[in-house]
Amino acid sequence: MAAIDFSAFLLGVTVLFGVIWLFDRLFLVKARRARAEAEGAEVAEPWPVDWARSLFPVILVVLILRSFVAEPFRIPSGSMMPTLDVGDFILVNKFSYGLRMPAFNNKLLENGEPRRGDVVVFRFPGYRCADGNGNIVRSGDQTCQDPNAPVPGENWIKRVIGVPGDRIETRGSELFINGERVAMDELGPYKGDPERPEDQLLMTYGSKLYTEHLGSINHTIALTPAYNMPQDIPNAVVPSEVPKGCYIVMGDNRMNSTDSRWWGCMPEENLVGKAFFVWLAWRGFDHGISGVLDLSRMGKVIH
């Protein structure tokens, strides 16, 4: 899930407006009032002070709500289909896994850990690559030709499959956790709008839907082996046992998701929060006014 670093921007603006307002109150306002009284004129605030005084409380409230309560995100790709579709706007619970400092993301308060089956938003950690000294580093280059390529500052969304200490294995479309095969019930072929590229791909390659029973979470996944068959776990990047402080995550569109099978485990410190609600499903104007919103998905609780 691509996103600009809006948290850092919001924090910076909040601090800037707060500093302007406080500096004016401490050092400038008395002199300004004295000059106005001597001249018999009304006290006029400079426009930066007026803006800071007016906007600081509003932006501070937004920062607190967005950082510690819930944050909106938009789904940009089909890697979580059919659970989440392109254009879904979701809310992410920022308190589910502890309070974190805005922008810096360091944890301020513990409040539980992700469980198998949770749909989580996280900062993309980058691909695991060997540098010239034989060390494993995180890179933004999927091919690892440039191990020092910067990792893009993006937020991604996937489902937690393995928690620390789990032994994860995949064999084609089959998933094994701690030696036991994860059960699936076939629902039938994927059906969608043949004019939408995301639906067209799944339908063209004969995708089938299954209910996957991941612990207490029952959710729908799409399997499309004719389109792509991701590398199995374990592999050169991903060991079978999930390390401490890490999670194995995958997309529900299993054959069309760049996830832990390609770039390794997701570090705990990269967590943003738990996705829990679809509040808007925007499909654009490609199919006329009637196709702008998908009312059937709006209000959906994410499982």
Side-chain angles (χ1 to χ4, degrees), residues 127 129 141-146:
Y127 301 96
C129 300
D141 181 6
Q142 184 174 0
T143 67
C144 288
Q145 293 182 359
D146 182 6

Side-chain angles (χ1 to χ4, degrees), residues 130-145:
D131 64 10
N133 300 318
N135 301 314
I136 300 298
V137 297
R138 292 284 189 173
S139 171
D141 181 6
Q142 184 174 0
T143 67
C144 288
Q145 293 182 359

Side-chain angles (χ1 to χ4, degrees), residues 31-86:
R32 188 166 61 247
R33 287 174 179 172
R35 287 196 305 270
E37 290 177 1
E39 297 171 359
E42 294 184 0
V43 179
E45 289 183 335
W47 69 263
V49 176
D50 183 45
W51 276 43
R53 178 181 54 80
S54 302
L55 296 178
F56 173 72
V58 177
I59 295 178
L60 179 61
V61 170
V62 172
L63 176 67
I64 292 173
L65 291 176
R66 192 179 185 276
S67 300
F68 303 127
V69 181
E71 182 175 359
F73 286 94
R74 179 185 181 275
I75 304 299
S77 74
S79 70
M80 281 296 292
M81 292 174 68
T83 303
L84 296 170
D85 206 343
V86 177

Side-chain angles (χ1 to χ4, degrees), residues 2-260:
I4 63 172
D5 195 353
F6 187 68
S7 294
F9 171 77
L10 193 61
L11 179 62
V13 171
T14 304
V15 171
L16 176 63
F17 282 178
V19 168
I20 292 174
W21 189 18
L22 181 62
F23 185 83
D24 180 73
R25 295 290 294 180
L26 292 177
F27 302 107
L28 303 180
V29 68
K30 290 183 180 180
R32 188 166 61 247
R33 287 174 179 172
R35 287 196 305 270
E37 290 177 1
E39 297 171 359
E42 294 184 0
V43 179
E45 289 183 335
W47 69 263
V49 176
D50 183 45
W51 276 43
R53 178 181 54 80
S54 302
L55 296 178
F56 173 72
V58 177
I59 295 178
L60 179 61
V61 170
V62 172
L63 176 67
I64 292 173
L65 291 176
R66 192 179 185 276
S67 300
F68 303 127
V69 181
E71 182 175 359
F73 286 94
R74 179 185 181 275
I75 304 299
S77 74
S79 70
M80 281 296 292
M81 292 174 68
T83 303
L84 296 170
D85 206 343
V86 177
D88 284 352
F89 286 78
I90 65 171
L91 288 178
V92 175
N93 187 336
K94 302 297 290 288
F95 190 67
S96 293
Y97 309 129
L99 293 181
R100 294 179 182 270
M101 183 70 179
F104 299 99
N105 212 45
N106 53 303
K107 187 175 288 188
L108 304 174
L109 178 67
E110 296 283 348
N111 187 39
E113 301 293 342
R115 301 178 302 169
R116 286 192 215 100
D118 286 358
V119 177
V120 297
V121 171
F122 56 93
R123 290 180 295 109
F124 175 53
Y127 301 96
R128 286 170 52 88
C129 300
D131 64 10
N133 300 318
N135 301 314
I136 300 298
V137 297
R138 292 284 189 173
S139 171
D141 181 6
Q142 184 174 0
T143 67
C144 288
Q145 293 182 359
D146 182 6
N148 298 315
V151 178
E154 298 175 343
N155 287 321
W156 288 24
I157 183 167
K158 305 292 178 186
R159 188 179 298 276
V160 174
I161 302 297
V163 299
D166 280 347
R167 288 181 292 107
I168 304 296
E169 294 181 50
T170 59
R171 304 171 192 167
S173 59
E174 294 184 315
L175 171 62
F176 297 81
I177 300 178
N178 297 324
E180 296 187 7
R181 181 180 178 274
V182 174
M184 297 186 301
D185 300 323
E186 184 174 338
L187 299 175
Y190 180 86
K191 298 179 181 178
D193 182 351
E195 296 186 20
R196 291 185 70 233
E198 299 82 16
D199 291 341
Q200 187 181 66
L201 185 149
L202 293 176
M203 296 166 67
T204 299
Y205 287 94
S207 179
K208 290 185 178 181
L209 300 181
Y210 295 80
T211 298
E212 184 176 68
H213 305 285
L214 198 59
S216 61
I217 303 297
N218 301 318
H219 60 281
T220 305
I221 65 172
L223 296 182
T224 320
Y227 173 71
N228 181 39
M229 189 61 70
Q231 58 185 349
D232 288 337
I233 297 177
N235 57 53
V237 176
V238 193
S240 176
E241 184 169 338
V242 185
K244 183 179 180 181
C246 256
Y247 298 87
I248 294 297
V249 296
M250 297 182 189
D252 288 347
N253 191 353
R254 289 290 162 82
M255 276 62 181
N256 190 18
S257 172
T258 305
D259 50 40
S260 284

